[in-house]
Amino acid sequence: MKNYKALSFIAALAMMVSAAGCGDKNENTDNAKAPETTAAADTTTQAAASDETEVPEIDGYDLIWNDEFSAAALDESKWNYEPHEPGWTNEELQEYTTSTDNVFIRDGKLVIKAIKSEKDGKDYYTSGKVTGQNKTDFTYGKVVVSAKVPEGQGLWPAIWMMPKDESYYGQWPKCGEIDIMEVLGNNVSTAYGTLHYGEPHGEKQGTWNLTGQTYADSFHEFSVEWEPGEIRWYIDGNLYNTVNDWFTAVQGEDEKPYPAPFDQPFFVQMNLAVGGTWPGNPDETTNFDNAEFEIDYVRVYQKPEYDTNVKKPEKSYREPLEDGNYIYNGDFSEAEDLTDDVNWKFLLFNGGVGAAEIKDNMIVITSEKEGTEDYSVQLVQPDIPMIKGQKYKLTFDAYADEEREIITCVSAPEAGWIRYFEDTKLTVTPEKQTFTYEFEMKEKDDPKGRLEYNLGHRGSTATVYISNVRIEEIA
C-alpha cells in the first residue's frame, strides 16, 4: 500500500516514505522460540479471552491477540489513529484524520469511511487509517482478517503490514512490506496480495478473482501465514500466492542475511485511500454514501516456535528452446490457454474490452474498447531470463486491419516494473512487417523478465496479428 501497486504494465514510480539508516542484525539460531510480542500484545491476548465472541482455534497456533470490534469505540490499547495530509504518499487525495466520522465502530464492525466535501472551492476527501504499531507488533504468525470492501472508482481499501522500526534495514522498500489485501474500487472482483522488498525495489504479487460475486457483496476472510522462509496468502481458505525468495540491501553494499527484512517485528494496519497512482481518482460514478471499508475481526495467531535457520532458495532460469528462442510457443503452433500463467497470457484492465485467439500460426487480438491505459489490452509472456551484461534480440512479425500503434517492452514484474527493454511504440499496417530490436540487459540477473505487447489507449481498436516471436541472445 505504501507504493504504487502494479500489474505487469506499469513503470516504476518514485515513492514518498520517511525512514533512514540500517541497523546491525544478530545471527539467527536454530529452532528458535517465536519472537516475543510487545507487552501491549500480551495485554490484548488476555482481553481476547474475555471477549464475548468465541474465536476459533487453529491447530498448531496460539492466539496472541485479536479484536472483534465489540466495544463501543476503537480500542486504543491495540490501535493508533494515523493522521496524514493529502498527497502524503502515492498522490492520494484523502486527508487521514482522527475523526470518528472517518473511523468508528458500528454493529460489531470497524468502519473506515471516506467522506467527500469541499474546501477552498475544490473537492476535498477525508478518510481513516489505523495501525497497531508499538501496541500489537509481532514477528512471524498467521493474520486473519474478515472484511468487506467498498465499490467505486478511486476507492482503495487495504490491509497490510509494515515493520515496527522502519529504519532498521533502511528506507522503504529496504524495510519490507507485506500487503495482505488490496482491492480497487473499480474492480471489486479481484484482490491482490503483494510482498515488497529490496533495493532495488522488488515485489511479488498474487491475485484471487471471484466469479459471480465481488468483495463488495459480502465479507471475505483474508489471511497471511508469515514464517521465516516463506509467506503464504489465502482468501476464504484458498492459497493463491506463495513467496520464499526476497532480499534487502543498501545500495552498493552486500545483501543482508536472508530472511531479512522479514525477520523483525511487524504490525497490522488498515486504511481506505481515495485516488492515487494505482486506482486513479474518483469520478461522477463514485458514491461516497457507500464509501465504507468494514472489518469484522482481526486475529493474529503464532506457532509456539519457528525454525529460523532458513536458506534462500536458488533462482531457477528457464532454458531456451533448441533453436535458442526464449519465447515458448513463439510460432503459435499450439492453441494454448491464454488465461493461465504458462507461456502466453491475454489481459484486460481499466476499461479495455477485447479477446485473443491463436490460429493459423499467429495470435489475433481484437479490441472492442481501448481502455484508459496502454496496458488496458495486453498480451504477455512471463519468465524470460534476463542476465546482466547479456545482449538480446527481439524479433516478431505484425500487421493490423488498419494502421495503428502498439507498444512492446520487456518488463520486470518482480523488480519494481523497471524496463529491461524500454517501452517502444511501433506502427503496424495492413502489410505484414518484421520488427527487430536489440538491447542489453544492464540490471541485476532476473529469471522473471516479461515480454509485453500493449494495445490499449492508442486511439484505435483495429485488430492486430502477431507471429514468429523470438527473444535470443546475441554476442
Side-chain angles (χ1 to χ4, degrees), residues 44-59:
T44 58
T45 303
Q46 298 171 7
S50 61
D51 198 295
E52 294 180 1
T53 302
E54 184 176 347
V55 178
E57 295 182 356
I58 298 178
D59 188 38

Side-chain angles (χ1 to χ4, degrees), residues 153-442:
Q153 169 60 39
L155 300 179
W156 183 6
I159 305 164
W160 50 305
M161 296 169 62
M162 287 289 290
K164 174 183 177 180
D165 181 2
E166 191 174 329
S167 67
Y168 193 81
Y169 285 113
Q171 178 179 329
W172 190 97
K174 293 185 290 293
C175 61
E177 174 182 332
I178 304 170
D179 294 337
I180 300 172
M181 179 278 282
E182 293 175 282
V183 173
L184 302 183
N186 64 355
N187 180 17
V188 289
S189 295
T190 300
Y192 303 85
T194 312
L195 197 69
H196 295 271
Y197 52 87
E199 186 175 63
H201 173 215
E203 68 175 67
K204 294 189 176 179
Q205 185 176 82
T207 59
W208 187 255
N209 299 303
L210 298 178
T211 302
Q213 58 178 319
T214 75
Y215 294 105
D217 294 337
S218 59
F219 284 84
H220 292 267
E221 194 171 78
F222 306 93
S223 181
V224 155
E225 293 176 348
W226 167 31
E227 298 187 357
E230 187 169 279
I231 303 175
R232 299 176 292 273
W233 284 256
Y234 300 81
I235 293 180
D236 297 329
N238 299 292
L239 174 65
Y240 72 97
N241 191 23
T242 301
V243 179
N244 58 15
D245 182 10
W246 57 74
F247 71 94
T248 194
V250 175
Q251 190 72 35
E253 298 183 9
D254 292 338
E255 292 183 5
K256 300 297 180 182
Y258 182 81
F262 301 106
D263 59 349
Q264 59 177 317
F266 273 64
F267 60 89
V268 176
Q269 55 189 338
M270 299 174 292
N271 63 280
L272 175 57
V274 179
T277 48
W278 190 21
N281 293 339
D283 59 22
E284 65 279 358
T285 69
T286 310
N287 183 359
F288 279 87
D289 291 338
N290 298 324
E292 295 184 346
F293 181 26
E294 298 181 77
I295 300 96
D296 191 14
Y297 54 78
V298 178
R299 298 165 182 167
V300 178
Y301 301 81
Q302 200 173 67
K303 292 181 178 179
E305 60 184 23
Y306 289 90
D307 182 1
T308 57
N309 185 25
V310 294
K311 294 182 178 180
K312 185 176 180 178
E314 293 187 6
K315 292 182 178 180
S316 175
Y317 291 81
R318 185 166 86 178
E319 294 293 330
L321 300 173
E322 290 184 3
D323 64 355
N325 191 4
Y326 282 100
I327 299 296
Y328 287 13
N329 198 26
D331 60 1
F332 299 103
S333 59
E334 177 189 347
E336 62 178 272
D337 184 352
L338 297 174
T339 64
D340 62 21
D341 293 318
V342 179
N343 300 340
W344 295 108
K345 186 171 187 177
F346 181 67
L347 300 162
L348 296 168
F349 305 100
N350 294 66
V353 178
E357 180 186 9
I358 294 175
K359 63 180 182 180
D360 300 329
N361 292 103
M362 68 179 74
I363 190 163
V364 182
I365 304 172
T366 57
S367 301
E368 297 178 33
K369 296 181 180 179
E370 60 176 310
T372 60
E373 308 293 339
D374 294 338
Y375 53 80
S376 291
V377 181
Q378 185 183 61
L379 176 71
V380 305
Q381 181 158 152
D383 300 331
I384 311 299
M386 292 280 107
I387 307 301
K388 184 175 182 178
Q390 180 62 55
K391 293 181 180 179
Y392 297 89
K393 181 167 68 173
L394 165 65
T395 59
F396 57 91
D397 296 337
Y399 67 98
D401 283 348
E402 60 184 49
E403 185 173 307
R404 58 160 296 168
E405 279 188 348
I406 65 175
I407 296 175
T408 188
C409 71
V410 177
S411 65
E414 296 186 2
W417 303 101
I418 60 176
R419 299 309 201 235
Y420 302 139
F421 169 56
E422 64 185 12
D423 289 348
T424 301
K425 296 179 183 178
L426 56 119
T427 300
V428 288
T429 68
E431 181 179 353
K432 182 187 290 188
Q433 302 173 74
T434 298
F435 296 89
T436 302
Y437 303 97
E438 295 183 2
F439 63 98
E440 182 179 355
M441 168 63 172
K442 298 181 179 180

